[in-house]
Amino acid sequence: CLLAALCPAEAFRPRAAAGGASARVARGVVGVPTPGSAAPLRLEPLAARKQGGERKPRKPKEAKSDVIEVTGTVVESLPNACFRVELEPSNNIIMCTVSGKIRKNFVRIVVGDTVQVELSAYDLSQGRIVYRGVRN
């Protein structure tokens, strides 16, 4: 073959058999350099490596303080996951959308369900459904 005459025989050897890192991993001799390798491998414990700084511990999420939570009953189902909900204490009917967690978990809300609604202190005509059913 003309190609074999131009290239060294090592170029046609499979990679794992060429003595590279993947061959050493396959043989279970990780960390032992092969004869003729450029630099010996250094193994350092994980704690000795530079980590780039300590991470701050996460704070637990706090409930929003400017939110009013009330219970209501779904009166009408509208398109785009909107509902008309009648609030229990005042019998007002407000427009509500579904929260992201309920959307993500595909919780079905139908007319007549009891729901827990969060109202913003700034606009009491719109709300967000955060829970379906009654919490004890």
Side-chain angles (χ1 to χ4, degrees), residues 63-82:
K64 294 182 180 178
S65 60
D66 59 341
V67 179
I68 303 165
E69 289 192 2
V70 291
T71 310
T73 307
V74 177
V75 176
E76 183 181 358
S77 176
L78 301 170
N80 296 333
C82 291

Side-chain angles (χ1 to χ4, degrees), residues 87-92:
L87 302 180
E88 284 186 0
S90 62
N91 293 334
N92 289 341

Side-chain angles (χ1 to χ4, degrees), residues 20-100:
S22 59
R24 290 193 304 272
V25 171
R27 289 193 309 255
V29 227
V30 179
V32 179
T34 57
S37 63
L41 296 175
R42 289 186 308 157
L43 294 179
E44 298 174 346
L46 186 61
R49 293 184 192 158
K50 184 177 179 183
Q51 296 296 322
E54 297 275 333
R55 284 191 176 186
K56 295 179 183 176
R58 288 188 179 184
K59 295 179 183 176
K61 290 187 177 181
E62 297 178 8
K64 294 182 180 178
S65 60
D66 59 341
V67 179
I68 303 165
E69 289 192 2
V70 291
T71 310
T73 307
V74 177
V75 176
E76 183 181 358
S77 176
L78 301 170
N80 296 333
C82 291
F83 299 91
R84 291 199 196 277
V85 176
E86 181 179 0
L87 302 180
E88 284 186 0
S90 62
N91 293 334
N92 289 341
I93 296 178
I94 63 168
M95 176 80 81
C96 291
T97 59
V98 177
S99 72

